[in-house]
Amino acid sequence: MEEIFRLDREYLAQTYRKLPVVFSRGKGIFLWDLGGKRYLDFVAGVAVSALGHADPELRKALSRQAGRLIHMTNLVYIKEQVELARELARITPGRINKFFFSNSGAESVEAALKLSIKHTGRKKIVAMEHSFHGRTLGALSATWKPSYREPFQSFFLSNVQFIPFNDLSSAERAVDEDTAAVILEPIQGEGGVRVASQEFLKGLKELCEERGALLIMDEVQTGMGRTGKWFACEHWGVEPDIITLAKALGGGVPIGCTGARPEVMESFQPGDHGATFGGNPLACVAALTVIREIRKRGLVKKAERRGRYFMKALEELKGDHPSVREVRGKGLMLGMELDGEDKAERVVMGALEEGFLINVTAGKVLRFLPPLVVEEAHIDALVSTLDGLLRKVEG
Ligand SMILES: Cc1ncc(COP(=O)(O)O)c(C=O)c1O
């Protein structure tokens, strides 16, 4: 593996802080590194591999489609794209029934921002502190973290206002007759697994309706069953005007999607937006297969049940360990905040050594995003390892 690390440093942009491991294959929740060591994957490619690795149904569908047609231009009609859009219309909340396909989360946010500006003719976007919406200039304009923003600030959308997450009175002051949209994640992922309150989301929805602004729900990380509902906003019964999806939608094949109420999406006219690869037949077949398999295997309900089991076990750990500040999240999107970044780092490295892939976000929040096919025994194994590792870092 050392040689790969060296070549990475020589040939790749050093934009990621990486764990010292190279995986060569996977199966379900398991991964094997180049040396043949087995790991349990509690990151799932950051909420991407919902069906786990090397899923046989996904593999079959992709190989069949690759033998027929991988790519087709959006200058003609694409059957698989129409089928996927119709399928999404069945599961997305409320009146979200029209879709634009792209290739990533950031792109789905770009389309959402452009659409809200075009539809309303307004100039201002309201976003949340601790938000993350992606790295392209538009999405980054609505992303909070100062260290991500500062070098590029002068090229941003000129009118984005950040308000504290879960603070309705700030929203009441910020959203006005010049606001095109309010954008937020119902559970902030990169920001540290922060869950929106019922009062905030409901209030925000009412505020947007009253003042003619659109509500954009970024479900790139929370969507596709991860939180125990198809889409997290269903937990609060709040219907957005625009929704953004990516990550788990393609089960590992890149696809992004922006969905909207038809009358909103109809503000996009030919030439207003586009993406060469957006919704190509291979990516659409991947997403159709992911939706079908999630449904067939009851993985949304399973995420809810497993999530409850996992949360209870993490709460018990909190009771035993003074370094655990808080446990939060929904379904299989859970975070455990420790009282120090150094401790979080040591737990992640210790877990890796013991054969568990976990992630830390917002400095000191251990984040757990296993494939939706995770079993109780896998959760038990991780929790008992965490128990030992926390004892070590506390000692
Ligand atoms: C909520 C949210 N939106 C957008 C993005 C950006 O997605 P991508 O990395 O596919 O551009 C992410 C990625 O982590 C995300 O969590």
Side-chain angles (χ1 to χ4, degrees):
M1 289 199 264
E2 291 299 329
E3 179 65 356
I4 309 254
F5 302 161
R6 191 187 66 73
L7 291 171
D8 180 295
R9 282 191 297 273
E10 185 172 347
Y11 289 110
L12 292 179
Q14 296 297 299
T15 49
Y16 304 98
R17 233 172 276 123
K18 296 179 183 181
L19 292 172
V21 64
V22 186
F23 295 112
S24 58
R25 68 189 176 92
K27 183 102 196 92
I29 193 176
F30 296 107
L31 286 167
W32 285 266
D33 71 13
L34 286 179
K37 177 176 161 187
R38 195 181 81 168
Y39 298 77
L40 268 87
D41 182 4
F42 277 82
V43 178
V46 195
V48 169
S49 313
L51 304 180
H53 300 284
D55 179 73
E57 292 303 320
L58 186 54
R59 201 176 56 194
K60 246 190 286 170
L62 287 176
S63 112
R64 200 181 313 122
Q65 187 59 36
R68 283 183 189 150
L69 200 59
I70 291 179
H71 180 73
M72 186 38 61
T73 169
N74 279 305
L75 300 177
V76 302
Y77 291 87
I78 299 175
K79 175 171 162 279
E80 294 77 9
Q81 214 178 88
V82 171
E83 287 169 359
L84 175 57
R86 192 178 48 185
E87 211 42 47
L88 279 167
R90 292 196 177 119
I91 58 172
T92 45
R95 293 161 293 165
I96 305 264
N97 283 333
K98 259 191 162 172
F99 303 90
F100 174 86
F101 292 112
S102 57
N103 310 285
S104 66
E107 275 182 80
S108 70
V109 170
E110 294 289 331
L113 294 174
K114 278 179 71 176
L115 180 60
S116 71
I117 293 164
K118 178 98 196 296
H119 182 73
T120 60
R122 296 176 175 192
K123 296 190 180 65
K124 191 170 120 183
I125 303 287
V126 172
M128 303 296 136
E129 291 179 5
H130 301 284
S131 63
F132 184 86
H133 299 294
R135 306 295 197 139
T136 53
L137 283 170
L140 192 56
S141 304
T143 288
W144 181 75
K145 198 171 176 176
S147 65
Y148 292 173
R149 299 169 53 82
E150 271 155 16
F152 313 104
Q153 200 119 308
S154 50
F155 294 94
F156 282 174
L157 294 178
S158 58
N159 207 349
V160 179
Q161 185 180 347
F162 289 94
I163 58 168
F165 190 56
N166 278 339
D167 181 348
L168 194 54
S169 52
S170 290
E172 273 159 7
R173 285 192 298 276
V175 180
D176 57 26
E177 60 293 332
D178 206 24
T179 304
V182 176
I183 180 166
L184 84 163
E185 303 146 83
I187 304 175
Q188 295 185 324
E190 305 305 299
V193 194
R194 295 159 190 265
V195 184
S197 70
Q198 177 73 34
E199 184 212 359
F200 183 60
L201 271 197
K202 280 261 187 228
L204 211 49
K205 172 73 185 168
E206 282 165 21
L207 197 60
C208 285
E209 265 175 5
E210 183 192 303
R211 304 200 181 157
L214 298 176
L215 183 62
I216 303 174
M217 207 69 87
D218 182 344
E219 295 246 16
V220 165
Q221 191 163 145
T222 50
M224 305 309 293
R226 165 108 349 236
T227 69
K229 302 264 185 206
W230 272 108
F231 301 96
C233 60
E234 296 169 44
H235 288 289
W236 293 269
V238 169
E239 181 190 328
D241 300 293
I242 303 179
I243 196 167
T244 60
L245 307 173
K247 288 191 184 280
L249 178 59
V253 176
I255 180 166
C257 174
T258 308
R261 287 191 280 114
E263 64 274 27
V264 173
M265 193 59 94
E266 279 150 23
S267 294
F268 264 172
Q269 297 289 308
D272 281 339
H273 202 52
T276 296
F277 293 117
N280 83 15
L282 190 77
C284 290
V285 162
L288 278 162
T289 309
V290 167
I291 294 170
R292 188 189 71 214
E293 291 303 310
I294 288 179
R295 207 183 262 132
K296 203 166 86 191
R297 300 183 213 171
L299 292 179
V300 179
K301 264 267 151 282
K302 199 168 170 190
E304 197 243 325
R305 276 202 311 273
R306 295 281 185 269
R308 225 179 310 119
Y309 181 85
F310 200 169
M311 175 69 115
K312 186 162 168 280
L314 292 176
E315 289 285 3
E316 278 166 25
L317 274 187
K318 177 173 172 260
D320 293 341
H321 293 280
S323 61
V324 179
R325 282 242 180 98
E326 199 183 8
V327 175
R328 47 186 189 249
K330 274 189 192 295
L332 290 171
M333 179 175 180
L334 297 174
M336 187 160 90
E337 183 170 335
L338 302 187
D339 62 1
E341 297 197 5
D342 175 55
K343 281 183 190 155
E345 178 94 28
R346 283 168 60 205
V347 170
V348 170
M349 291 305 291
L352 191 70
E353 226 161 83
E354 300 207 24
F356 294 89
L357 191 62
I358 59 172
N359 164 255
V360 61
T361 190
K364 54 187 178 185
V365 181
L366 301 177
R367 181 172 45 165
F368 310 104
L369 299 161
L372 305 187
V373 296
V374 67
E375 298 292 342
E376 286 181 3
H378 307 140
I379 295 169
D380 293 344
L382 173 72
V383 168
S384 115
T385 300
L386 286 175
D387 189 24
L389 289 168
L390 286 168
R391 198 161 306 129
K392 229 187 260 176
V393 300
E394 283 163 357

